[in-house]
Amino acid sequence: GGGVDGGWPWYRRLASALAAKSAKILLGIGVSDPMSGYFVVRKEFLETVRCDLDPHGFKILLDLLVLGASRLEKATVKEVGIRFRKREAGHSKLGVAVILQYFLSLLRMWLARRHHRKQA
């Protein structure tokens, strides 16, 4: 039920869609927006993965989803749609450097997962 209430140019919508689709294809992430900055996790889970979180970039939820999939036999993810609106103040940090950092992180996660599967 989430979405964007105007204010996002076509290239911002495209970047968001490509980022989500890339995570789904490369890492098997099935959530609508793995780059969301608004999420809730159980404290117990966070304590088990916090040392392995990558502090770079704006994709902590993606890190949590990947780490959770590799460490938990039974994890539950529930999505609640939120509506993005045009900012009333401030500006986005999204730029070429952040986009590049995101895709490099995706590549690193994909390679790590592939390496882990070969060893198993």
Side-chain angles (χ1 to χ4, degrees):
V4 178
D5 290 336
W8 273 16
W10 68 268
Y11 54 85
R12 177 63 178 93
R13 289 178 188 249
L14 179 63
S16 181
L18 287 174
K21 192 65 146 174
S22 299
K24 184 172 191 152
I25 291 169
L26 291 175
L27 303 174
I29 301 300
V31 301
S32 300
D33 185 6
M35 289 74 56
S36 176
Y38 186 73
F39 55 89
V40 177
V41 296
R42 293 189 186 273
K43 180 181 177 184
E44 298 81 22
F45 170 66
L46 189 58
E47 288 173 349
T48 66
V49 299
R50 69 179 181 178
C51 292
D52 296 316
L53 292 174
D54 182 357
H56 301 98
F58 300 93
K59 43 98 194 110
I60 189 170
L61 177 58
L62 182 60
D63 284 348
L64 292 170
L65 292 168
V66 169
L67 291 169
S70 66
R71 295 191 184 173
L72 300 175
E73 290 181 26
K74 192 173 186 179
T76 302
V77 175
K78 294 183 182 181
E79 292 188 82
V80 177
I82 59 173
R83 305 284 310 167
F84 288 94
R85 295 182 302 202
K86 187 174 180 178
R87 291 176 186 264
E88 292 182 20
H91 63 280
S92 174
K93 296 176 206 81
L94 182 67
V96 175
V98 170
I99 293 170
L100 181 60
Q101 190 175 52
Y102 172 77
F103 283 105
L104 288 173
S105 292
L106 269 185
L107 180 61
R108 270 195 306 273
M109 287 182 219
W110 179 75
L111 289 170
R113 183 179 262 191
R114 193 169 163 208
H115 178 73
H116 178 70
R117 285 183 183 155
K118 282 184 179 182
Q119 290 184 344

